[in-house]
mmCIF file of all heavy atoms in Angstrom:
data_model
loop_
_atom_site.group_PDB
_atom_site.id
_atom_site.type_symbol
_atom_site.label_atom_id
_atom_site.label_comp_id
_atom_site.label_asym_id
_atom_site.label_seq_id
_atom_site.Cartn_x
_atom_site.Cartn_y
_atom_site.Cartn_z
ATOM 1 N N VAL A 30 30.541 -2.709 53.161
ATOM 2 C CA VAL A 30 31.458 -3.280 52.186
ATOM 3 C C VAL A 30 30.640 -4.138 51.238
ATOM 4 O O VAL A 30 29.972 -5.082 51.666
ATOM 5 C CB VAL A 30 32.553 -4.131 52.880
ATOM 6 C CG1 VAL A 30 33.510 -4.709 51.833
ATOM 7 C CG2 VAL A 30 33.301 -3.313 53.933
ATOM 8 N N TYR A 31 30.694 -3.803 49.951
ATOM 9 C CA TYR A 31 29.942 -4.510 48.919
ATOM 10 C C TYR A 31 30.876 -5.101 47.880
ATOM 11 O O TYR A 31 31.941 -4.554 47.611
ATOM 12 C CB TYR A 31 28.981 -3.562 48.193
ATOM 13 C CG TYR A 31 27.675 -3.323 48.900
ATOM 14 C CD1 TYR A 31 27.513 -2.277 49.771
ATOM 15 C CD2 TYR A 31 26.596 -4.176 48.688
ATOM 16 C CE1 TYR A 31 26.315 -2.048 50.419
ATOM 17 C CE2 TYR A 31 25.391 -3.970 49.329
ATOM 18 C CZ TYR A 31 25.263 -2.907 50.205
ATOM 19 O OH TYR A 31 24.065 -2.700 50.850
ATOM 20 N N TRP A 32 30.421 -6.198 47.290
ATOM 21 C CA TRP A 32 31.053 -6.779 46.123
ATOM 22 C C TRP A 32 30.111 -6.583 44.950
ATOM 23 O O TRP A 32 28.914 -6.869 45.056
ATOM 24 C CB TRP A 32 31.291 -8.289 46.345
ATOM 25 C CG TRP A 32 31.588 -9.053 45.091
ATOM 26 C CD1 TRP A 32 30.710 -9.829 44.376
ATOM 27 C CD2 TRP A 32 32.825 -9.129 44.397
ATOM 28 N NE1 TRP A 32 31.332 -10.361 43.279
ATOM 29 C CE2 TRP A 32 32.649 -9.948 43.265
ATOM 30 C CE3 TRP A 32 34.082 -8.559 44.621
ATOM 31 C CZ2 TRP A 32 33.663 -10.228 42.371
ATOM 32 C CZ3 TRP A 32 35.095 -8.840 43.719
ATOM 33 C CH2 TRP A 32 34.883 -9.672 42.611
ATOM 34 N N LEU A 33 30.612 -6.090 43.838
ATOM 35 C CA LEU A 33 29.835 -6.005 42.615
ATOM 36 C C LEU A 33 30.240 -7.187 41.734
ATOM 37 O O LEU A 33 31.392 -7.277 41.313
ATOM 38 C CB LEU A 33 30.098 -4.694 41.864
ATOM 39 C CG LEU A 33 29.407 -4.587 40.495
ATOM 40 C CD1 LEU A 33 27.889 -4.659 40.618
ATOM 41 C CD2 LEU A 33 29.852 -3.332 39.784
ATOM 42 N N GLY A 34 29.308 -8.086 41.501
ATOM 43 C CA GLY A 34 29.586 -9.276 40.697
ATOM 44 C C GLY A 34 29.305 -9.053 39.237
ATOM 45 O O GLY A 34 28.782 -8.009 38.826
ATOM 46 N N ARG A 35 29.626 -10.041 38.456
ATOM 47 C CA ARG A 35 29.321 -9.990 37.014
ATOM 48 C C ARG A 35 27.818 -9.845 36.829
ATOM 49 O O ARG A 35 27.042 -10.399 37.568
ATOM 50 C CB ARG A 35 29.818 -11.237 36.324
ATOM 51 C CG ARG A 35 31.324 -11.403 36.460
ATOM 52 C CD ARG A 35 31.925 -12.048 35.225
ATOM 53 N NE ARG A 35 33.358 -12.230 35.411
ATOM 54 C CZ ARG A 35 34.257 -11.267 35.175
ATOM 55 N NH1 ARG A 35 33.866 -10.101 34.752
ATOM 56 N NH2 ARG A 35 35.536 -11.502 35.353
ATOM 57 N N GLY A 36 27.425 -9.068 35.867
ATOM 58 C CA GLY A 36 26.002 -8.864 35.621
ATOM 59 C C GLY A 36 25.377 -7.796 36.500
ATOM 60 O O GLY A 36 24.182 -7.588 36.513
ATOM 61 N N GLY A 37 26.206 -7.091 37.307
ATOM 62 C CA GLY A 37 25.697 -5.994 38.120
ATOM 63 C C GLY A 37 25.035 -6.374 39.425
ATOM 64 O O GLY A 37 24.303 -5.583 39.998
ATOM 65 N N ALA A 38 25.254 -7.595 39.897
ATOM 66 C CA ALA A 38 24.644 -8.040 41.164
ATOM 67 C C ALA A 38 25.524 -7.587 42.331
ATOM 68 O O ALA A 38 26.720 -7.850 42.373
ATOM 69 C CB ALA A 38 24.504 -9.552 41.160
ATOM 70 N N TRP A 39 24.893 -6.917 43.320
ATOM 71 C CA TRP A 39 25.612 -6.422 44.505
ATOM 72 C C TRP A 39 25.411 -7.396 45.667
ATOM 73 O O TRP A 39 24.320 -7.897 45.879
ATOM 74 C CB TRP A 39 25.040 -5.059 44.912
ATOM 75 C CG TRP A 39 25.311 -3.971 43.928
ATOM 76 C CD1 TRP A 39 24.525 -3.596 42.884
ATOM 77 C CD2 TRP A 39 26.469 -3.147 43.851
ATOM 78 N NE1 TRP A 39 25.082 -2.574 42.190
ATOM 79 C CE2 TRP A 39 26.288 -2.279 42.762
ATOM 80 C CE3 TRP A 39 27.620 -3.043 44.623
ATOM 81 C CZ2 TRP A 39 27.222 -1.309 42.416
ATOM 82 C CZ3 TRP A 39 28.559 -2.083 44.272
ATOM 83 C CH2 TRP A 39 28.365 -1.228 43.186
ATOM 84 N N ARG A 40 26.463 -7.605 46.467
ATOM 85 C CA ARG A 40 26.375 -8.448 47.645
ATOM 86 C C ARG A 40 27.035 -7.718 48.813
ATOM 87 O O ARG A 40 28.188 -7.297 48.704
ATOM 88 C CB ARG A 40 27.073 -9.778 47.402
ATOM 89 C CG ARG A 40 26.997 -10.694 48.625
ATOM 90 C CD ARG A 40 27.595 -12.053 48.341
ATOM 91 N NE ARG A 40 27.392 -12.947 49.453
ATOM 92 C CZ ARG A 40 26.276 -13.641 49.660
ATOM 93 N NH1 ARG A 40 25.265 -13.546 48.827
ATOM 94 N NH2 ARG A 40 26.185 -14.441 50.706
ATOM 95 N N LEU A 41 26.312 -7.630 49.913
ATOM 96 C CA LEU A 41 26.885 -7.032 51.112
ATOM 97 C C LEU A 41 27.839 -8.036 51.751
ATOM 98 O O LEU A 41 27.439 -9.150 52.095
ATOM 99 C CB LEU A 41 25.786 -6.643 52.114
ATOM 100 C CG LEU A 41 26.290 -6.000 53.411
ATOM 101 C CD1 LEU A 41 26.900 -4.626 53.129
ATOM 102 C CD2 LEU A 41 25.183 -5.894 54.428
ATOM 103 N N ILE A 42 29.073 -7.645 51.910
ATOM 104 C CA ILE A 42 30.077 -8.466 52.591
ATOM 105 C C ILE A 42 29.963 -8.282 54.094
ATOM 106 O O ILE A 42 30.051 -9.229 54.869
ATOM 107 C CB ILE A 42 31.500 -8.084 52.125
ATOM 108 C CG1 ILE A 42 31.654 -8.310 50.621
ATOM 109 C CG2 ILE A 42 32.564 -8.843 52.901
ATOM 110 C CD1 ILE A 42 31.448 -9.723 50.151
ATOM 111 N N GLY A 43 29.757 -7.037 54.505
ATOM 112 C CA GLY A 43 29.599 -6.744 55.924
ATOM 113 C C GLY A 43 29.445 -5.264 56.147
ATOM 114 O O GLY A 43 29.729 -4.449 55.267
ATOM 115 N N ALA A 44 29.000 -4.908 57.343
ATOM 116 C CA ALA A 44 28.821 -3.503 57.716
ATOM 117 C C ALA A 44 29.288 -3.328 59.160
ATOM 118 O O ALA A 44 29.132 -4.244 59.984
ATOM 119 C CB ALA A 44 27.363 -3.080 57.584
ATOM 120 N N SER A 45 29.853 -2.158 59.445
ATOM 121 C CA SER A 45 30.371 -1.876 60.777
ATOM 122 C C SER A 45 30.200 -0.400 61.100
ATOM 123 O O SER A 45 30.122 0.441 60.194
ATOM 124 C CB SER A 45 31.871 -2.209 60.842
ATOM 125 O OG SER A 45 32.086 -3.580 60.696
ATOM 126 N N PRO A 46 30.181 -0.066 62.408
ATOM 127 C CA PRO A 46 30.151 1.337 62.781
ATOM 128 C C PRO A 46 31.418 2.045 62.306
ATOM 129 O O PRO A 46 32.477 1.414 62.195
ATOM 130 C CB PRO A 46 30.111 1.302 64.313
ATOM 131 C CG PRO A 46 29.739 -0.089 64.676
ATOM 132 C CD PRO A 46 30.188 -0.966 63.554
ATOM 133 N N VAL A 47 31.301 3.323 62.016
ATOM 134 C CA VAL A 47 32.450 4.099 61.559
ATOM 135 C C VAL A 47 32.326 5.510 62.133
ATOM 136 O O VAL A 47 31.229 5.989 62.423
ATOM 137 C CB VAL A 47 32.517 4.128 60.019
ATOM 138 C CG1 VAL A 47 31.356 4.903 59.432
ATOM 139 C CG2 VAL A 47 33.834 4.685 59.516
ATOM 140 N N SER A 48 33.452 6.153 62.334
ATOM 141 C CA SER A 48 33.462 7.534 62.796
ATOM 142 C C SER A 48 33.637 8.434 61.592
ATOM 143 O O SER A 48 34.532 8.225 60.775
ATOM 144 C CB SER A 48 34.620 7.725 63.774
ATOM 145 O OG SER A 48 34.688 9.087 64.157
ATOM 146 N N THR A 49 32.766 9.421 61.456
ATOM 147 C CA THR A 49 32.885 10.395 60.370
ATOM 148 C C THR A 49 33.028 11.779 60.969
ATOM 149 O O THR A 49 32.785 11.991 62.156
ATOM 150 C CB THR A 49 31.662 10.348 59.447
ATOM 151 O OG1 THR A 49 30.516 10.779 60.142
ATOM 152 C CG2 THR A 49 31.458 8.963 58.867
ATOM 153 N N GLY A 50 33.447 12.727 60.146
ATOM 154 C CA GLY A 50 33.654 14.088 60.598
ATOM 155 C C GLY A 50 32.360 14.775 61.005
ATOM 156 O O GLY A 50 31.302 14.461 60.497
ATOM 157 N N PHE A 51 32.479 15.686 61.952
ATOM 158 C CA PHE A 51 31.318 16.413 62.436
ATOM 159 C C PHE A 51 31.756 17.788 62.927
ATOM 160 O O PHE A 51 32.945 18.002 63.187
ATOM 161 C CB PHE A 51 30.632 15.654 63.571
ATOM 162 C CG PHE A 51 31.513 15.438 64.760
ATOM 163 C CD1 PHE A 51 31.523 16.329 65.839
ATOM 164 C CD2 PHE A 51 32.368 14.341 64.828
ATOM 165 C CE1 PHE A 51 32.344 16.136 66.916
ATOM 166 C CE2 PHE A 51 33.198 14.136 65.916
ATOM 167 C CZ PHE A 51 33.188 15.043 66.959
ATOM 168 N N ALA A 52 30.824 18.711 63.019
ATOM 169 C CA ALA A 52 31.128 20.033 63.536
ATOM 170 C C ALA A 52 31.484 19.895 65.015
ATOM 171 O O ALA A 52 30.733 19.297 65.768
ATOM 172 C CB ALA A 52 29.943 20.962 63.347
ATOM 173 N N GLY A 53 32.628 20.428 65.399
ATOM 174 C CA GLY A 53 32.976 20.268 66.789
ATOM 175 C C GLY A 53 34.077 21.157 67.283
ATOM 176 O O GLY A 53 34.246 21.346 68.465
ATOM 177 N N GLY A 54 34.899 21.688 66.435
ATOM 178 C CA GLY A 54 35.979 22.527 66.894
ATOM 179 C C GLY A 54 36.996 22.785 65.806
ATOM 180 O O GLY A 54 36.807 22.400 64.656
ATOM 181 N N PHE A 55 38.088 23.412 66.196
ATOM 182 C CA PHE A 55 39.131 23.769 65.259
ATOM 183 C C PHE A 55 39.694 22.506 64.598
ATOM 184 O O PHE A 55 39.949 21.509 65.261
ATOM 185 C CB PHE A 55 40.244 24.541 65.956
ATOM 186 C CG PHE A 55 41.300 25.015 65.019
ATOM 187 C CD1 PHE A 55 41.025 26.001 64.074
ATOM 188 C CD2 PHE A 55 42.573 24.476 65.054
ATOM 189 C CE1 PHE A 55 41.994 26.436 63.202
ATOM 190 C CE2 PHE A 55 43.557 24.915 64.176
ATOM 191 C CZ PHE A 55 43.267 25.889 63.249
ATOM 192 N N GLU A 56 39.891 22.592 63.310
ATOM 193 C CA GLU A 56 40.420 21.510 62.477
ATOM 194 C C GLU A 56 39.487 20.318 62.375
ATOM 195 O O GLU A 56 39.921 19.193 62.126
ATOM 196 C CB GLU A 56 41.825 21.105 62.900
ATOM 197 C CG GLU A 56 42.824 22.201 62.657
ATOM 198 C CD GLU A 56 44.263 21.760 62.805
ATOM 199 O OE1 GLU A 56 44.525 20.571 63.092
ATOM 200 O OE2 GLU A 56 45.138 22.603 62.642
ATOM 201 N N TYR A 57 38.183 20.514 62.573
ATOM 202 C CA TYR A 57 37.200 19.480 62.346
ATOM 203 C C TYR A 57 36.614 19.688 60.958
ATOM 204 O O TYR A 57 36.283 20.811 60.583
ATOM 205 C CB TYR A 57 36.061 19.543 63.363
ATOM 206 C CG TYR A 57 36.393 18.942 64.707
ATOM 207 C CD1 TYR A 57 37.307 19.550 65.553
ATOM 208 C CD2 TYR A 57 35.798 17.761 65.108
ATOM 209 C CE1 TYR A 57 37.602 19.009 66.784
ATOM 210 C CE2 TYR A 57 36.080 17.205 66.351
ATOM 211 C CZ TYR A 57 36.990 17.834 67.185
ATOM 212 O OH TYR A 57 37.277 17.283 68.396
ATOM 213 N N PHE A 58 36.481 18.616 60.209
ATOM 214 C CA PHE A 58 35.911 18.653 58.862
ATOM 215 C C PHE A 58 34.658 17.800 58.829
ATOM 216 O O PHE A 58 34.540 16.818 59.563
ATOM 217 C CB PHE A 58 36.898 18.056 57.846
ATOM 218 C CG PHE A 58 38.073 18.912 57.541
ATOM 219 C CD1 PHE A 58 39.203 18.849 58.335
ATOM 220 C CD2 PHE A 58 38.073 19.744 56.439
ATOM 221 C CE1 PHE A 58 40.322 19.635 58.049
ATOM 222 C CE2 PHE A 58 39.184 20.513 56.136
ATOM 223 C CZ PHE A 58 40.305 20.466 56.941
ATOM 224 N N LEU A 59 33.727 18.154 57.929
ATOM 225 C CA LEU A 59 32.626 17.235 57.613
ATOM 226 C C LEU A 59 33.171 16.192 56.657
ATOM 227 O O LEU A 59 33.956 16.512 55.756
ATOM 228 C CB LEU A 59 31.461 17.997 56.968
ATOM 229 C CG LEU A 59 30.678 18.933 57.849
ATOM 230 C CD1 LEU A 59 29.576 19.614 57.039
ATOM 231 C CD2 LEU A 59 30.068 18.178 59.005
ATOM 232 N N THR A 60 32.748 14.956 56.825
ATOM 233 C CA THR A 60 33.160 13.923 55.877
ATOM 234 C C THR A 60 32.621 14.306 54.504
ATOM 235 O O THR A 60 31.424 14.550 54.362
ATOM 236 C CB THR A 60 32.619 12.554 56.320
ATOM 237 O OG1 THR A 60 33.184 12.248 57.602
ATOM 238 C CG2 THR A 60 32.986 11.465 55.321
ATOM 239 N N PRO A 61 33.495 14.386 53.504
ATOM 240 C CA PRO A 61 33.028 14.822 52.178
ATOM 241 C C PRO A 61 32.166 13.793 51.478
ATOM 242 O O PRO A 61 32.266 12.595 51.742
ATOM 243 C CB PRO A 61 34.339 15.025 51.410
ATOM 244 C CG PRO A 61 35.325 14.158 52.095
ATOM 245 C CD PRO A 61 34.923 14.084 53.535
ATOM 246 N N LEU A 62 31.306 14.299 50.624
ATOM 247 C CA LEU A 62 30.453 13.438 49.785
ATOM 248 C C LEU A 62 31.149 13.226 48.451
ATOM 249 O O LEU A 62 31.849 14.108 47.969
ATOM 250 C CB LEU A 62 29.099 14.098 49.545
ATOM 251 C CG LEU A 62 28.257 14.369 50.791
ATOM 252 C CD1 LEU A 62 27.020 15.155 50.420
ATOM 253 C CD2 LEU A 62 27.902 13.065 51.490
ATOM 254 N N GLY A 63 30.963 12.069 47.855
ATOM 255 C CA GLY A 63 31.509 11.838 46.535
ATOM 256 C C GLY A 63 31.992 10.414 46.368
ATOM 257 O O GLY A 63 31.807 9.554 47.234
ATOM 258 N N VAL A 64 32.630 10.174 45.246
ATOM 259 C CA VAL A 64 33.205 8.873 44.916
ATOM 260 C C VAL A 64 34.712 9.071 44.914
ATOM 261 O O VAL A 64 35.230 9.928 44.209
ATOM 262 C CB VAL A 64 32.711 8.371 43.549
ATOM 263 C CG1 VAL A 64 33.400 7.074 43.153
ATOM 264 C CG2 VAL A 64 31.200 8.193 43.572
ATOM 265 N N PHE A 65 35.404 8.265 45.700
ATOM 266 C CA PHE A 65 36.849 8.395 45.850
ATOM 267 C C PHE A 65 37.511 7.057 45.520
ATOM 268 O O PHE A 65 37.126 6.027 46.067
ATOM 269 C CB PHE A 65 37.203 8.818 47.279
ATOM 270 C CG PHE A 65 36.485 10.057 47.712
ATOM 271 C CD1 PHE A 65 35.330 9.969 48.468
ATOM 272 C CD2 PHE A 65 36.926 11.293 47.310
ATOM 273 C CE1 PHE A 65 34.630 11.098 48.841
ATOM 274 C CE2 PHE A 65 36.256 12.435 47.687
ATOM 275 C CZ PHE A 65 35.103 12.345 48.440
ATOM 276 N N GLU A 66 38.506 7.105 44.657
ATOM 277 C CA GLU A 66 39.171 5.879 44.222
ATOM 278 C C GLU A 66 40.289 5.488 45.186
ATOM 279 O O GLU A 66 41.047 6.325 45.658
ATOM 280 C CB GLU A 66 39.745 6.076 42.818
ATOM 281 C CG GLU A 66 40.263 4.801 42.218
ATOM 282 C CD GLU A 66 40.671 4.967 40.759
ATOM 283 O OE1 GLU A 66 40.680 6.094 40.270
ATOM 284 O OE2 GLU A 66 41.002 3.945 40.156
ATOM 285 N N HIS A 67 40.355 4.223 45.474
ATOM 286 C CA HIS A 67 41.419 3.666 46.313
ATOM 287 C C HIS A 67 42.497 3.129 45.370
ATOM 288 O O HIS A 67 42.241 2.202 44.603
ATOM 289 C CB HIS A 67 40.848 2.529 47.171
ATOM 290 C CG HIS A 67 41.814 1.951 48.110
ATOM 291 N ND1 HIS A 67 42.496 0.794 47.841
ATOM 292 C CD2 HIS A 67 42.224 2.364 49.336
ATOM 293 C CE1 HIS A 67 43.285 0.501 48.864
ATOM 294 N NE2 HIS A 67 43.131 1.442 49.771
ATOM 295 N N THR A 68 43.675 3.740 45.384
ATOM 296 C CA THR A 68 44.738 3.355 44.450
ATOM 297 C C THR A 68 46.032 3.095 45.200
ATOM 298 O O THR A 68 46.169 3.408 46.389
ATOM 299 C CB THR A 68 44.995 4.471 43.419
ATOM 300 O OG1 THR A 68 45.599 5.580 44.092
ATOM 301 C CG2 THR A 68 43.720 4.914 42.723
#
């Protein structure tokens, strides 16, 4: 989790383990790459 401040300065707020998609069976997806907007 990052904050982008004025002037383009990035600050790490925190980091944690996360589960992402992996090959493993029916209806399993790879976590997609890209930029996704939270709205």
